[in-house]
Amino acid sequence: MTFDVLNGRIIFSRVRVDSETGLKGATVRYYPLCLDISGKRCVVVGGGNVAERKVERLLACGARVEVVGKALTPVLAAWKGEGRIVHREADYGGSCLSGASLVIGATDDETVNGRIAKDARARGIPVNIVDDPARCDFILPSIVERGDLLIAVSTSGKSPALSRKIREELEETYGPEYAVLLEILGKLRGKVIAAGRCSAENRECFAAVVRSEILDDIRQKDWAKVKETIRRLTGVEMEVETR
């Protein structure tokens, strides 16, 4: 790890280690990105518990998942039987990656993982090797989800334990009421913009709603008060579904 001082701030970064030679190379600073993989072919090499967790997340995001490996966990086997995943019952080979948009290596064999990383990069396919940041083009953060609200925590691969701790703290702070609020704000946004007011006025409307006590009202399921708050701050009459 290295650090630089930029505008009075300490910027931490990681030095990439070449997965073939072991030599230090360019400094890595990760670019946060939310990627649409719906309908995309994603390959997971390995059929164990770690692979299962990676597959579960890919499926939740709408990917077309192919699992490569001779043995599957009971859950992966069930998903295969349900047609949710494609299973290539074979040892890894480079041809497995043809047409893939994303690759995850989740085997316990360092040699195989090295081949996966090398083959994926040769094809220009983003690759993640579990627990081996030096061989990754991307790393996977800890996730907190509340409906369409997605909060990602990353330690740049240095400490999964710390990522997990922070994620658990965020789970306590951001409860299910945030999913409801975001759904309301999404509907409200369309109505406010359709009213034809200027952008600055619209921004202030949204900010006023977010700053209000609306979250407390949602927690209390006081939907009449939620509707009144929206009407008072934005001028929009809006139905709010009870839950």
Side-chain angles (χ1 to χ4, degrees), residues 162-205:
L162 180 57
S163 287
R164 185 165 52 253
K165 178 181 183 297
I166 295 172
R167 186 202 71 213
E168 290 169 353
E169 292 171 353
L170 289 170
E171 286 174 338
E172 292 294 322
T173 300
Y174 296 91
E177 66 274 10
Y178 280 85
V180 179
L181 175 60
L182 185 53
E183 186 177 339
I184 291 171
L185 290 173
K187 294 177 181 177
L188 178 63
R189 181 178 178 81
K191 292 179 179 293
V192 169
I193 291 175
R197 294 177 292 200
C198 68
S199 296
E201 188 175 354
N202 288 345
R203 284 195 298 271
E204 181 51 38
C205 282

Side-chain angles (χ1 to χ4, degrees), residues 10-76:
I10 297 178
I11 307 298
F12 290 91
S13 54
R14 182 175 65 81
V15 176
R16 182 183 292 280
V17 179
D18 188 280
S19 58
E20 299 300 318
T21 66
L23 298 176
K24 291 183 178 180
T27 297
V28 177
R29 293 199 65 218
Y30 292 102
Y31 183 71
L33 178 70
C34 291
L35 185 66
D36 178 6
I37 58 171
S38 55
K40 304 284 180 66
R41 180 170 178 266
C42 298
V43 174
V44 177
V45 184
N49 292 325
V50 174
E52 179 186 307
R53 292 196 296 272
K54 305 306 179 184
V55 169
E56 182 177 23
R57 183 66 192 165
L58 291 171
L59 289 175
C61 294
R64 294 186 295 112
V65 181
E66 179 170 328
V67 177
V68 179
K70 288 189 173 179
L72 298 177
T73 66
V75 171
L76 287 172

Side-chain angles (χ1 to χ4, degrees), residues 72-231:
L72 298 177
T73 66
V75 171
L76 287 172
W79 289 341
K80 174 185 177 180
E82 295 165 2
R84 297 183 65 192
I85 64 173
V86 174
H87 177 213
R88 184 178 295 205
E89 190 175 353
D91 291 327
Y92 171 74
S95 62
C96 299
L97 307 186
S98 297
S101 296
L102 182 147
V103 176
I104 295 178
T107 82
D108 56 4
D109 188 315
E110 289 293 315
T111 300
V112 172
N113 286 342
R115 286 171 54 207
I116 296 167
K118 182 179 179 181
D119 292 345
R121 286 173 176 165
R123 290 168 170 78
I125 306 170
V127 61
N128 172 273
I129 304 298
V130 175
D131 292 333
D132 193 350
R135 285 174 166 157
C136 294
D137 292 322
F138 65 95
I139 55 176
L140 300 169
S142 293
I143 297 294
V144 176
E145 283 187 289
R146 297 291 182 259
D148 287 329
L149 176 64
L150 180 70
I151 306 172
V153 180
S154 173
T155 58
S156 297
K158 295 181 180 69
S159 178
L162 180 57
S163 287
R164 185 165 52 253
K165 178 181 183 297
I166 295 172
R167 186 202 71 213
E168 290 169 353
E169 292 171 353
L170 289 170
E171 286 174 338
E172 292 294 322
T173 300
Y174 296 91
E177 66 274 10
Y178 280 85
V180 179
L181 175 60
L182 185 53
E183 186 177 339
I184 291 171
L185 290 173
K187 294 177 181 177
L188 178 63
R189 181 178 178 81
K191 292 179 179 293
V192 169
I193 291 175
R197 294 177 292 200
C198 68
S199 296
E201 188 175 354
N202 288 345
R203 284 195 298 271
E204 181 51 38
C205 282
F206 299 135
V209 173
V210 171
R211 290 194 302 261
S212 74
E213 301 300 317
I214 194 169
L215 272 170
D216 289 335
D217 298 335
I218 292 171
R219 291 187 187 101
Q220 298 299 320
K221 300 185 185 301
D222 190 342
W223 305 116
K225 194 169 181 181
V226 169
K227 290 172 63 175
E228 170 57 24
T229 296
I230 293 170
R231 187 202 61 75

